[in-house]
Each structure stands twice: as C-alpha cells, then as structure tokens.
Amino acid sequence: GFLFLKINFNIFSHKIKSFIKYSIPVLIILGVILSILHTPLYPLPSKQEDAIASLLPYVTGKLFITTPNDRSYYSFYGYGTIYYNITSSEGGTRVLASKENILLNKELRLAINNGSCGYIKKISNNLGVTNFIGYESICNTFLSCNFKFYKENNGAGLYKKY
C-alpha cells in the first residue's frame, strides 16, 4: 500500500490515471462483496447444544462437560463462566492450564467414554469436579457410577457427585 502512494502519477497519461482512479473503489467493493459471499455465517446452536446450555444455571460446583462429539464443550465453559460464574475442571482456557491438568481432563474424558467408574471418581476427585453434564448414552455412564441425577432436558443430563 505504501509503495502505491509513492508512485509519481504525473508520468501516466490521463486515461491511465482515470482508470486507476475508478478501478480502486470498484476493486474495494468487489473485495467486500466476495468477503460477504464467502464468509460462513455463525452457526446456530443445535438442539443438543441448547439442551446442554439450559442445564448450566443448575450447576453448583466445578463442572465437567462431555458430549458425543466433544466439539463444543469449551464454548459452554466460557458461557457458564460469564453468565453463571461456573468454574470448570479445565479452567478458562487450555493455554493457561498446566500439562498435568490437560492430561487429567483427557483421561477423565476417556474414562467416561469407557464407563470406568472407579477411574472417573478418582480423576474427578483430583480435579475437584462435582458436576457433570452429558448427553444421551453418556448419561447412562453417570447413572451406573451412582452419580446423583439432578436435571434433564432433551437428552442432556446434569449429574452431581457427592
């Protein structure tokens, strides 16, 4: 951009100056139109995500969320922290979490997916987790581990460990 401004336009003919003068705004407008057309819209939350979000007001301790695809739980941690003052086992961001904490959270997620009740309880104790939100089949794991069922909405369940 800076080099363009340093050009001596006096050396160009009137036609070229006019072309440059009118083509730059057209290029800018085309760039904006291309950006609008090719930038995806922010995705709307799915039914599953709405169900999980509806349980956040009922969380009363440190939270661990696991979903079948595990793609969106970080957004719930942020939302819960901002609107309901919820803390999570993973902290506010993975960037600030210790390697040990990240490893324990991965192990807890794996233990939940495998239904390893003893390991779930051991790791959740180490992390201080007392609230779990899961979806559909994962809820069965929490029930089989004798966690207290607290609330359900559209397949998402909140379970508390006492």
Side-chain angles (χ1 to χ4, degrees):
F2 177 72
L3 292 177
F4 181 76
L5 296 175
K6 298 287 274 176
I7 295 175
N8 182 4
F9 287 99
N10 293 329
I11 61 172
F12 297 117
S13 70
H14 179 70
K15 286 183 181 180
I16 293 177
K17 285 184 201 176
S18 295
F19 175 76
I20 292 173
K21 181 179 174 182
Y22 293 111
S23 65
I24 289 176
V26 170
L27 288 174
I28 291 171
I29 291 170
L30 284 174
V32 170
I33 290 171
L34 282 172
S35 176
I36 290 170
L37 293 176
H38 291 287
T39 302
L41 298 175
Y42 189 77
L44 295 174
S46 68
K47 180 178 136 184
Q48 172 187 354
E49 291 167 337
D50 279 340
I52 291 171
S54 72
L55 298 173
L56 293 175
Y58 304 99
V59 173
T60 56
K62 197 174 272 191
L63 174 65
F64 188 87
I65 299 173
T66 184
T67 58
N69 61 12
D70 283 334
R71 72 175 176 89
S72 59
Y73 58 89
Y74 285 116
S75 58
F76 293 115
Y77 290 149
Y79 181 78
T81 300
I82 293 167
Y83 291 102
Y84 303 108
N85 201 25
I86 294 172
T87 58
S88 74
S89 63
E90 303 196 43
T93 175
R94 287 181 67 118
V95 176
L96 299 175
S98 68
K99 288 182 181 181
E100 179 187 6
N101 184 284
I102 292 170
L103 181 62
L104 282 172
N105 277 282
K106 283 182 182 180
E107 288 178 13
L108 180 55
R109 196 165 304 285
L110 187 63
I112 290 169
N113 290 334
N114 292 334
S116 307
C117 292
Y119 210 47
I120 293 170
K121 290 177 182 179
K122 178 182 175 188
I123 298 171
S124 61
N125 285 339
N126 288 344
L127 291 169
V129 175
T130 56
N131 292 258
F132 295 85
I133 293 179
Y135 197 77
E136 290 178 350
S137 62
I138 294 171
C139 293
N140 295 331
T141 299
F142 296 134
L143 287 174
S144 68
C145 293
N146 296 320
F147 291 174
K148 182 182 175 196
F149 170 76
Y150 190 80
K151 190 156 181 69
E152 185 270 338
N153 185 12
N154 271 338
L158 172 61
Y159 297 83
K160 297 184 179 262
K161 183 187 78 168
Y162 293 103

